[in-house]
Amino acid sequence: YVKNIDDYQVTRVQFLETAAEAAELGLGPEFAGWNANSLFNQGTARISGWEFELQHSLDPFLPRWAQGFGVRGSLNVSDLDGQSSSGWPGLNRQRGMFWLSYQRPKLRVGIGFIYEGRIDGAVSVVGGESTTVYVDGRSLVDATVDFRLTKRYSVYLTGNNIFNQSRLNKRESPHLPAW
């Protein structure tokens, strides 16, 4: 796929280290030590990539007593071209998922393994240096159980990110230490 974008919304984050930097933006000295966020339309960009998904029942490979298992997997890779200084909030560069499920007439159980790649964010200025803010990649596990009580009623339990993997925000700059 390919998507061209013109005049998309951009967020610029600037750390106001001194009262003078705050004054440049029309803010009082009490805002020194704060981040100033600006939202505006700017630039052109292109998002290109590919997606692949596969779903299959494992029944043809299993003995009759073990039937009901299935697998589903997907992979998405995106190439982000354009003004990198503007960031790409919320867009993963890579995302992969593998889901194993088991289904019987009254019971469905599933467990999924998800990889979310890096999410690019806005550019900020720290110590006079331009830094890119991003969310680091992470691996997650989801699970679900669904039990049908009657034709119309079911009880289910779903857990997303059951090992509580946090989103780690990072900054990178060619001249500043990693943090």
Side-chain angles (χ1 to χ4, degrees):
Y1 64 87
V2 174
K3 183 173 185 173
N4 294 312
I5 304 169
D6 292 319
D7 290 329
Y8 58 91
Q9 284 194 330
V10 174
T11 301
R12 183 170 186 260
V13 180
Q14 179 180 355
F15 180 67
L16 305 175
E17 290 187 80
T18 65
E21 288 180 351
E24 289 176 12
L25 298 176
L27 301 171
E30 66 272 15
F31 290 99
W34 290 60
N35 281 334
N37 298 324
S38 304
L39 184 64
F40 52 93
N41 290 355
Q42 172 186 324
T44 60
R46 171 181 275 192
I47 302 171
S48 60
W50 54 274
E51 297 180 22
F52 177 74
E53 181 167 324
L54 176 69
Q55 182 172 344
H56 199 278
S57 170
L58 297 179
D59 287 351
F61 310 106
L62 298 173
R64 184 164 177 80
W65 60 268
Q67 291 188 353
F69 283 97
V71 293
R72 189 174 87 206
S74 67
L75 181 63
N76 175 296
V77 177
S78 298
D79 183 24
L80 314 170
D81 297 318
Q83 292 179 295
S84 62
S85 63
S86 58
W88 296 87
L91 185 62
N92 292 90
R93 290 183 181 193
Q94 306 94 17
R95 188 171 198 283
M97 183 270 303
F98 175 78
W99 191 264
L100 176 65
S101 62
Y102 176 75
Q103 184 169 343
R104 288 293 190 192
K106 289 192 168 208
L107 176 69
R108 283 189 302 185
V109 179
I111 187 164
F113 305 93
I114 300 105
Y115 172 74
E116 294 179 342
R118 173 180 162 145
I119 301 173
D120 288 324
V123 170
S124 66
V125 178
V126 177
E129 289 286 333
S130 181
T131 64
T132 303
V133 179
Y134 65 95
V135 179
D136 208 10
R138 65 181 182 164
S139 298
L140 309 171
V141 177
D142 293 350
T144 186
V145 176
D146 185 328
F147 184 75
R148 181 174 297 273
L149 299 172
T150 68
K151 184 177 180 180
R152 295 185 181 198
Y153 297 102
S154 295
V155 175
Y156 67 92
L157 176 67
T158 300
N160 294 322
N161 188 13
I162 60 178
F163 295 118
N164 198 26
Q165 293 294 313
S166 61
R167 291 187 180 270
L168 184 57
N169 294 306
K170 292 185 174 182
R171 295 176 193 245
E172 68 181 5
S173 172
H175 301 103
L176 294 174
W179 51 285

